[in-house]
Amino acid sequence: RLTATSYDSADEVAQKYGATFESAKAALEASGARVLHSVDATQLEACKELRGEAFDVVWWNLPHVGGGHSEADVESNRLALRLFFQERAGLSPTKG
């Protein structure tokens, strides 16, 4: 089963992407996918809908914490990736 998530709330995503979001969400749900919002990929266990779930494949599209291109911004993105992979390891059926 496909699970699509966003860090932003549903309202924030709707404001940013408008009809494109509504269309994509409807298509995902019509195909049997679930769509979750306000999900922090660096703290997956905090999302009650994902607790106890195991995933065969995880796709994190363009992880970026915002900011510019300073060394601090780059390090923030590296930290987000590290935390995500640590969280991901906990959700893997093989724990790896």
Side-chain angles (χ1 to χ4, degrees), residues 65-66 68-83:
V65 298
H69 301 288
S70 72
E71 187 59 35
D73 294 326
V74 170
E75 188 52 40
S76 291
N77 284 303
R78 287 179 182 152
L79 176 61
L81 286 167
R82 254 190 322 277
L83 292 171

Side-chain angles (χ1 to χ4, degrees), residues 55-92:
F55 296 92
D56 295 322
V57 176
V58 173
W59 183 313
W60 192 13
N61 194 31
L62 190 60
H64 195 276
V65 298
H69 301 288
S70 72
E71 187 59 35
D73 294 326
V74 170
E75 188 52 40
S76 291
N77 284 303
R78 287 179 182 152
L79 176 61
L81 286 167
R82 254 190 322 277
L83 292 171
F84 167 74
F85 287 120
Q86 288 170 355
E87 286 290 314
R88 173 64 187 108
L91 294 177
S92 172

Side-chain angles (χ1 to χ4, degrees), residues 16-32:
K16 287 180 182 180
Y17 303 106
T20 302
F21 161 65
E22 297 300 336
S23 174
K25 181 179 180 219
L28 284 165
E29 291 175 339
S31 71

